[in-house]
Amino acid sequence: QVQLAESGGGSVQAGGSLRLSCVGSVITFGSYCMSYFRQAPGKEREVVAVADADGSPTYADSVQGRFIIFKDNAKNALDLQMNSLEPEDTAMYYCAADPNTLVPGMCSVSTMAPADFGIWGQGIQVTVSS
């Protein structure tokens, strides 16, 4: 059974940093389009950052310049370094994988939606206080 597991969440004050990590079993990250999404209470799930099969990243405008997504295909790990955190970043964060979107340029924040990803982690809470 394919599994993704997130770690590294928690609580931090505004301006602080956290690093999320997602590790997987069964699947090979190098063959997948992968992403971090987040969902705040009462809001829709939104894409945060996407890394294509080769690891090339794209970011939502709201996190551009503050977050870095890094896919380590050798370790089967997907990390999200979150810097200069803001209270608006408070949400449940999810790691997701899609084995079908491998065409260059099609695995990006502007082309991918939650429904495109068939494999999800259970999510991890990130809370940023002001």
Side-chain angles (χ1 to χ4, degrees), residues 3 5 12 14 18-19 23-24 34 44-46 54 62 66 72 85 88 90 102 112 118 126:
Q3 290 186 332
V12 66
L18 285 173
R19 187 178 184 96
V23 294
M34 299 198 65
E44 293 186 354
R45 190 166 296 190
E46 63 174 356
D54 294 330
S62 59
R66 300 188 297 122
D72 188 334
L85 283 161
E88 293 74 21
T90 295
L102 301 178
M112 301 296 289
V126 170

Side-chain angles (χ1 to χ4, degrees), residues 99-115:
N100 300 316
T101 305
L102 301 178
V103 175
M106 294 305 294
C107 173
S108 73
V109 295
S110 60
T111 59
M112 301 296 289

Side-chain angles (χ1 to χ4, degrees), residues 7-126:
S7 62
S11 297
V12 66
Q13 289 190 327
S17 299
L18 285 173
R19 187 178 184 96
L20 304 182
S21 184
C22 171
V23 294
S25 61
V26 180
I27 66 174
T28 301
F29 281 24
S31 299
Y32 284 72
C33 170
M34 299 198 65
S35 177
Y36 275 98
F37 285 82
R38 67 186 181 188
Q39 188 166 18
K43 295 187 176 181
E44 293 186 354
R45 190 166 296 190
E46 63 174 356
V47 63
V48 175
V50 174
D52 71 10
D54 294 330
S56 295
T58 54
Y59 300 94
D61 289 344
S62 59
V63 306
Q64 181 75 47
R66 300 188 297 122
F67 289 12
I68 300 172
I69 189 170
F70 176 70
K71 185 151 73 92
D72 188 334
N73 290 334
K75 295 182 179 180
N76 239 28
L78 183 73
D79 287 358
L80 184 69
Q81 176 66 41
M82 304 184 292
N83 301 319
S84 301
L85 283 161
E86 303 168 352
E88 293 74 21
D89 296 317
T90 295
M92 187 73 79
Y93 283 70
Y94 298 88
C95 173
D98 166 36
N100 300 316
T101 305
L102 301 178
V103 175
M106 294 305 294
C107 173
S108 73
V109 295
S110 60
T111 59
M112 301 296 289
D116 295 320
F117 291 85
I119 304 168
W120 291 84
Q122 291 188 324
I124 193 162
Q125 180 67 37
V126 170

